[in-house]
Amino acid sequence: MEIRKESEPNGRLMTIRSPYSISRRGLLRLGALTVLTTAVSPMIRRNEALAEVCNPEAPTTPATALTALMAGNARWAAEEQEHLGEDTGRRVCLANPDNKQTPFASIISCSDSRVPPELIFDQGLGDLFVARVAGNTASGRLIDSLLYGTSNLGTPVLFVLGHSLCGAVTTAVNSFPKNHSLQFVNLIFPAVKQARAIVKNNGDDPNDANLVIPVATNQNVLITVDRLRRQFRSRVNAGTLLVAGGVYDLGTQLVTVLTYTVGATRGSDSAAR
């Protein structure tokens, strides 16, 4: 993946005198290069015109993209996967250098081997742009990856995916407030702090890890979603990007959406908080 930046010429004309003259052979080579460039340019434009979209049926709006993710998860939980985009045609199309990837969703998820987004959302090759890190927290270069997915590739939805029985969240709860040697654990501490307060306000023991862990899992998703909404505020406010978050339950294999935003409209499942 490469993001190209171009600068405009400043408009100034400079004359540089060189002690070296261009020979007749050099002029001929320069002319040949000009002819070659002129001949190749139309070919490049023609190849771009012939480029194929490998997943033409992918959703193109924020709302339909989120709906597609949840429909895929429902199929996964029911063991009725369609295995879309795994056929030979999709593989050959994506291997063609003239064709660009056109994912419809950017996903930030935990690195846990039990939670592969392409499987639990029943999506195919080229459908999802996925960034994974233990604890599914957004920071540093991971945000750069999500920026590439949402801006350069134009995905209409950005989904933060947490999950039950998360080892990173469990470690953060058991370590809090003492700093851990693994930085991604420390990034979950704000969620742990909020979770302990919620458990206490409910009249329960904030030192009971079994009570705090599931609440911290939800809070970790909500905090990350809120940060990404602010990071990509312009597209969110314009209504071209939906930032949502949810938690995958390893038992039911269903994703519960905790919160989502399209433009000025925000939705949430208050019970999940």
Side-chain angles (χ1 to χ4, degrees):
M1 298 179 299
E2 181 178 340
I3 304 175
R4 298 190 307 175
K5 296 182 179 179
E6 298 181 358
S7 59
E8 298 181 355
N10 57 20
R12 294 184 178 179
L13 180 63
M14 298 180 62
T15 301
I16 302 176
R17 298 185 180 276
S18 171
Y20 304 99
S21 60
I22 301 178
S23 65
R24 176 181 175 83
R25 180 176 296 178
L27 287 171
L28 290 174
R29 288 178 177 172
L30 182 60
L33 178 60
T34 302
V35 172
L36 179 61
T37 302
T38 303
V40 169
S41 294
M43 294 174 61
I44 294 176
R45 289 194 294 270
R46 186 162 60 250
N47 287 340
E48 290 178 348
L50 294 175
E52 180 183 358
V53 176
C54 299
N55 52 347
E57 297 181 357
T60 57
T61 67
T64 57
L66 180 59
T67 298
L69 289 178
M70 301 315 298
N73 175 242
R75 294 192 299 269
W76 164 262
E79 297 187 15
E80 298 175 351
Q81 303 98 296
E82 296 179 356
H83 300 287
L84 302 170
E86 298 178 6
D87 56 284
T88 301
R90 178 70 67 89
R91 299 182 190 200
V92 171
C93 182
L94 290 170
N96 187 336
D98 292 331
N99 299 334
K100 298 179 180 179
Q101 59 170 317
T102 54
F104 72 85
S106 293
I107 310 285
I108 172 174
S109 70
C110 184
S111 301
D112 195 298
S113 62
R114 300 167 293 180
V115 193
E118 293 87 351
L119 293 183
I120 69 173
F121 287 122
D122 190 26
Q123 300 302 321
L125 295 171
D127 288 331
L128 305 181
F129 185 81
V130 180
R132 303 184 69 175
V133 63
N136 48 270
T137 55
S139 64
R141 294 298 177 224
L142 198 66
I143 291 182
D144 290 346
S145 295
L146 298 175
L147 177 63
Y148 184 85
T150 57
S151 297
N152 290 70
L153 300 180
T155 60
V157 65
L158 170 55
F159 197 91
V160 179
L161 181 63
H163 67 96
S164 64
L165 305 180
C166 179
V169 173
T170 300
T171 300
V173 169
N174 291 331
S175 301
F176 182 85
K178 184 179 179 181
N179 281 341
H180 196 276
S181 59
L182 298 173
Q183 182 58 27
F184 68 80
V185 173
N186 298 326
L187 292 175
I188 304 174
F189 279 180
V192 175
K193 183 177 181 179
Q194 289 190 16
R196 288 172 60 89
I198 291 172
V199 170
K200 184 177 181 179
N201 290 339
N202 289 338
D204 295 316
D205 182 6
N207 294 314
D208 187 336
N210 291 327
L211 295 177
V212 175
I213 288 172
V215 180
T217 298
N218 290 353
Q219 290 302 310
N220 189 40
V221 169
L222 293 171
I223 289 173
T224 302
V225 167
D226 186 63
R227 179 176 184 180
L228 292 174
R229 281 175 180 155
R230 288 183 276 111
Q231 184 77 27
F232 304 116
R233 183 183 298 110
S234 59
R235 282 199 62 197
V236 171
N237 291 341
T240 59
L241 176 65
L242 181 155
V243 181
V247 172
Y248 174 67
D249 188 290
L250 292 175
T252 65
Q253 299 175 45
L254 288 170
V255 173
T256 298
V257 177
L258 302 182
T259 180
Y260 62 91
T261 294
V262 183
T265 303
R266 174 173 294 190
S268 65
D269 179 357
S270 58
R273 293 173 182 266

